[in-house]
Amino acid sequence: MGKTNDSEVEERPKWDNKTEYMLTCIGFAVGVGNVWRFPYLCQIYGGGAFLIPYLIALVFEGLPLLYLEMAIGQRLRMGSIGVWNSISPLLGGVGIASMIVSFLVSIFYNTLLAWVMWYFFHSFQNPLPWSQCPLNDNLTGYNEECVKSTPANYFWYRETLNITPDIDNSGSLHWWLVICLASAWCVVYICFIRGIQSIGKAVYVTTTFPYLVLTIFLIRALTLPGATDGLVYLFTPDWEILKNPQVWLDAATQIFFSLSVAFGGLIAFSSYNEERNNCERDAVLVGVINSATSLYASISIFSILGFKANSAYNSCNEENILILTNHFEFSDQNITVENYDHWFKYLNRSYPGEVAGLDLKHCDLQTFLDQSASGTGLAFIVLSEAVVAMPGSQIWAILFFTMLFSLGLSSMFGNLEGALTPVNDLNLFPKWIPNELVTAIICLISFSTALIFTLGSGNYWFEIFNGYVGSVPLLIVALFEIIGIIYVYGMKKFSEDIYFMTGRKPNIFWKACWMVISPLMLLVVLVAYVVVQAQKRPSYPTWNPDYELFPKFEVKQYPDWVFAIIILLSLLPVISIPLVALYKLISCRMKKSSARALHSPYCNDGFQVEQEERKNRRA
């Protein structure tokens, strides 16, 4: 870690090498959302057709914002709060908003790592605990809740979360989740203990390992029966879906959140760079790798989902075959999966009444492929079920959850850095307290706050934080960022800074995006997002075994007190922007008033001082 003593700014730590910086930025941008959010959006929005609005959003919104943050952090060599205070004291609240968002996101994001650790530890069991239902309390049969749903659902909602029927019923702290959560925060602290020096070493593993696992999964998944069905489903475009405005809104928000802009982490990471570094190339590289990773992961995921759909389709047909074989007293193997359709048409034509009276299921491969899931549902239920059906399921489960942990950990580096760097810049702790202790205090506060996610209602709170902390606040922060740099700091000055760092000024594309296209896109996305959310009162799906339609989710509206917390979480991070600006304006007015009073012609203070000086000279 090189340091110089020329000035306070130049004493800032530096990356040991460029590779560490790039791996850290890529690891921060590439997270679990690339594995479970992007494939889900492709699935519900017309497969390959979704790539069109996604790529447009990447080019005109994502990359310009990414380049903007990397460039300003590298030039001013400060964290988010220092950057915005130096541009204009009125924008100091933007840095505080980024810090609060990063802190809140870190709290719930690390809970995800705790859940992954819980599944990882259980992946060593044979058979996997989510592969079959447990016995009931009387040992006379299988657990009724599990039988009504599926073993994977039961293990997630009952064995892992022990979830309550609704958010009003908090339940108690679950000790197994508390231990996993404490372990996850200990891992994060160990990686952070020496700042970017220890992070720079950890990313060699946490950023590269997921690509190795994805490649292994891809090779294995492509050899599974039904993989081609999944890939055809992924890449077959439904052009009509592009007429739906929601598709464009989700594409814009996905690329925005996927690149992790507005958190302050990228500004902090780039501030440890050398001043003369090609940040344009870095931004394009990180953005392209992030999007390519989403597509690469989707190929693996959809191959596995195709295999799962094919297995479910065959199981459905086999149940029907057994019913037909027993009813018509055919010999075994007479009706097979391959000739089932032919036999069904023949029997239905010859004995329509008898076939209609049988309890046959409607088996359609497209229906199984359409069964979509996102987020925790995709990782801990759908893909967990798919892993069970793969030969050597324990090995694949261990690899899968290790990959998820690596993805989440590398993203946690950026989230926590976005909170820690401003804390240090604000000098919230005395200088004599070492950085290791400051990091430990922040991690301990985060762990204590995150205990809410280990309650029986913890998953409901997780979805609230996931849905509202990182949505509207980040869009508002990004909008103020681009306006602050381009229209307050100045396009001309910013272009000269980029020329100083890279040796060339930004071309017309970057200038057009920064000055017009990107702010307009952000504004449209922000307004559209707020309008969509305001049209209906927020509701949430609950897991309630007593619900008459169980295992379907019972959708409930949030109670008033929770709705108030949702509004608070949406406004709390960004309320600092107008408050700080107002405070600075009032302070400036007061200082100007004081200065005018000192220079008032009716004030005799200056005359009295002059008389005193004359007396002193005579003496």
Side-chain angles (χ1 to χ4, degrees):
M1 304 290 293
K3 290 184 179 181
T4 60
N5 298 316
D6 295 336
S7 69
E8 185 181 348
V9 174
E10 290 179 337
E11 288 176 3
R12 196 168 188 82
K14 295 179 182 177
W15 297 102
D16 283 345
N17 54 66
K18 182 68 175 288
T19 303
E20 290 183 3
Y21 166 67
M22 290 302 297
L23 286 176
T24 304
C25 289
I26 292 169
F28 182 33
V30 177
V32 291
N34 297 73
V35 175
W36 69 28
R37 177 67 178 165
F38 180 81
Y40 164 75
L41 292 174
C42 286
Q43 188 175 13
I44 65 172
Y45 287 142
F50 178 73
L51 294 176
I52 294 176
Y54 177 81
L55 291 175
I56 291 174
L58 170 68
V59 172
F60 294 105
E61 180 191 39
L63 290 180
L65 277 168
L66 192 64
Y67 185 13
L68 188 88
E69 287 201 353
M70 286 184 163
I72 201 67
Q74 180 177 306
R75 183 66 183 100
L76 299 182
R77 307 201 69 218
M78 300 176 184
S80 56
I81 288 181
V83 162
W84 301 115
N85 275 328
S86 65
I87 290 175
S88 171
L90 297 178
L91 293 173
V94 177
I96 296 175
S98 292
M99 178 185 70
I100 296 173
V101 170
S102 293
F103 176 72
L104 292 175
V105 169
S106 297
I107 290 172
F108 80 82
Y109 202 93
N110 217 33
T111 305
L112 177 63
L113 297 191
W115 292 339
V116 171
M117 289 180 81
W118 171 255
Y119 267 77
F120 172 76
F121 294 143
H122 282 82
S123 296
F124 291 91
Q125 296 183 25
N126 186 19
L128 292 172
W130 56 85
S131 63
Q132 56 190 16
C133 287
L135 296 174
N136 58 25
D137 295 334
N138 300 325
L139 304 179
T140 56
Y142 291 112
N143 181 281
E144 184 180 358
E145 181 182 349
C146 182
V147 171
K148 284 183 177 179
S149 54
T150 64
N153 275 315
Y154 180 81
F155 185 80
W156 170 240
Y157 288 110
R158 189 57 53 210
E159 297 287 346
T160 303
L161 301 175
N162 195 18
I163 198 166
T164 56
D166 54 54
I167 198 169
D168 279 317
N169 185 0
S170 295
S172 59
L173 292 175
H174 301 323
W175 62 267
W176 58 92
L177 292 180
V178 174
I179 292 174
C180 289
L181 184 65
S183 302
W185 275 108
C186 285
V187 172
V188 170
Y189 174 69
I190 290 170
C191 294
F192 256 91
I193 197 166
R194 298 290 302 280
I196 64 168
Q197 190 173 18
S198 53
I199 294 172
K201 302 300 179 287
V203 292
Y204 282 108
V205 177
T206 60
T207 300
T208 57
F209 183 74
Y211 290 98
L212 174 64
V213 176
L214 277 176
T215 303
I216 295 172
F217 260 94
L218 178 62
I219 295 171
R220 180 67 185 97
L222 290 176
T223 63
L224 294 171
T228 52
D229 295 323
L231 293 179
V232 168
Y233 185 89
L234 169 63
F235 288 110
T236 302
D238 178 11
W239 302 114
E240 289 296 315
I241 203 79
L242 294 179
K243 297 177 181 178
N244 182 0
Q246 188 67 38
V247 179
W248 296 84
L249 176 61
D250 281 346
T253 51
Q254 170 62 19
I255 194 63
F256 177 81
F257 300 133
S258 177
L259 289 172
S260 301
V261 292
F263 281 94
L266 289 169
I267 292 177
F269 286 146
S270 60
S271 71
Y272 303 126
N273 265 341
E274 296 284 352
E275 278 189 300
R276 294 184 183 275
N277 171 63
N278 193 339
C279 49
E280 178 184 6
R281 182 182 57 202
D282 296 345
V284 173
L285 196 60
V286 170
V288 170
I289 289 176
N290 174 71
S291 297
T293 303
S294 296
L295 188 59
Y296 189 57
S298 296
I299 295 173
S300 301
I301 297 301
F302 270 88
S303 298
I304 295 172
L305 292 179
F307 162 69
K308 181 178 179 295
N310 188 266
S311 299
Y313 174 71
N314 288 337
S315 297
C316 180
N317 280 335
E318 285 168 1
E319 290 179 16
N320 290 347
I321 289 171
L322 183 62
I323 293 172
L324 291 174
T325 300
N326 291 336
H327 181 79
F328 290 102
E329 298 181 349
F330 292 137
S331 60
D332 290 342
Q333 304 301 320
N334 203 355
I335 305 178
T336 63
V337 173
E338 288 74 19
N339 63 20
Y340 169 76
D341 288 337
H342 172 74
W343 270 104
F344 177 77
K345 290 176 182 177
Y346 168 74
L347 293 172
N348 194 37
R349 187 169 59 250
S350 303
Y351 311 97
E354 292 185 52
V355 172
L358 297 176
D359 188 21
L360 297 176
K361 294 181 179 178
H362 177 67
C363 304
D364 181 28
L365 181 61
Q366 189 68 29
T367 302
F368 291 111
L369 287 169
D370 286 337
Q371 292 176 353
S372 59
S374 175
T376 53
L378 179 62
F380 298 118
I381 298 175
V382 176
L383 291 178
S384 296
E385 284 180 327
V387 165
V388 167
M390 296 169 67
S393 55
Q394 285 78 19
I395 296 174
W396 297 110
I398 291 168
L399 282 174
F400 176 67
F401 291 112
T402 306
M403 177 192 70
L404 282 186
F405 191 84
S406 297
L407 285 170
L409 186 59
S410 57
S411 294
M412 270 300 297
F413 294 158
N415 292 332
L416 200 55
E417 185 69 25
L420 276 173
T421 302
V423 165
N424 293 327
D425 290 346
L426 285 172
N427 297 319
L428 295 181
F429 292 90
K431 291 287 186 182
W432 55 267
I433 298 181
N435 287 334
E436 292 84 357
L437 186 56
V438 172
T439 304
I441 292 171
I442 297 297
C443 288
L444 186 60
I445 293 172
S446 301
F447 165 72
S448 302
T449 310
L451 287 175
I452 189 176
F453 304 121
T454 65
L455 293 168
S457 59
N459 189 56
Y460 303 134
W461 287 110
F462 179 89
E463 293 301 333
I464 287 173
F465 272 70
N466 186 33
Y468 296 98
V469 168
S471 54
V472 172
L474 283 178
L475 289 168
I476 293 174
V477 169
L479 188 59
F480 273 94
E481 279 187 356
I482 201 165
I483 291 173
I485 292 176
I486 301 305
Y487 294 103
V488 179
Y489 188 71
M491 185 70 238
K492 182 179 179 182
K493 188 175 181 181
F494 188 53
S495 297
E496 291 171 353
D497 288 344
I498 291 176
Y499 179 76
F500 170 76
M501 292 185 291
T502 66
R504 61 177 180 271
K505 290 188 176 183
N507 57 40
I508 188 65
F509 167 76
W510 296 117
K511 289 182 178 180
C513 287
W514 288 331
M515 297 183 73
V516 181
I517 301 173
S518 296
L520 280 178
M521 286 187 70
L522 279 172
L523 187 61
V524 169
V525 170
L526 175 61
V527 172
Y529 190 90
V530 171
V531 168
V532 168
Q533 293 296 323
Q535 285 177 346
K536 59 185 185 299
R537 187 182 175 94
S539 59
Y540 66 108
T542 64
W543 183 262
N544 185 7
D546 296 328
Y547 180 47
E548 58 269 17
L549 299 178
F550 183 81
K552 290 185 176 181
F553 292 108
E554 182 181 8
V555 179
K556 296 183 178 181
Q557 287 191 338
Y558 285 114
D560 291 339
W561 65 276
V562 176
F563 185 56
I565 292 175
I566 288 174
I567 295 174
L568 181 66
L569 287 174
S570 299
L571 297 178
L572 177 65
V574 295
I575 198 69
S576 62
I577 298 176
L579 286 181
V580 169
L582 188 63
Y583 170 75
K584 295 291 185 182
L585 283 172
I586 294 173
S587 299
C588 184
R589 292 261 178 136
M590 290 176 67
K591 286 179 182 178
K592 285 182 178 179
S593 299
S594 300
R596 278 197 294 268
L598 287 173
H599 297 290
S600 171
Y602 304 103
C603 179
N604 293 322
D605 291 349
F607 176 76
Q608 290 172 0
V609 170
E610 188 178 347
Q611 292 298 318
E612 288 293 330
E613 288 178 352
R614 286 179 180 176
K615 288 179 182 178
N616 290 335
R617 288 197 207 102
R618 288 172 189 161

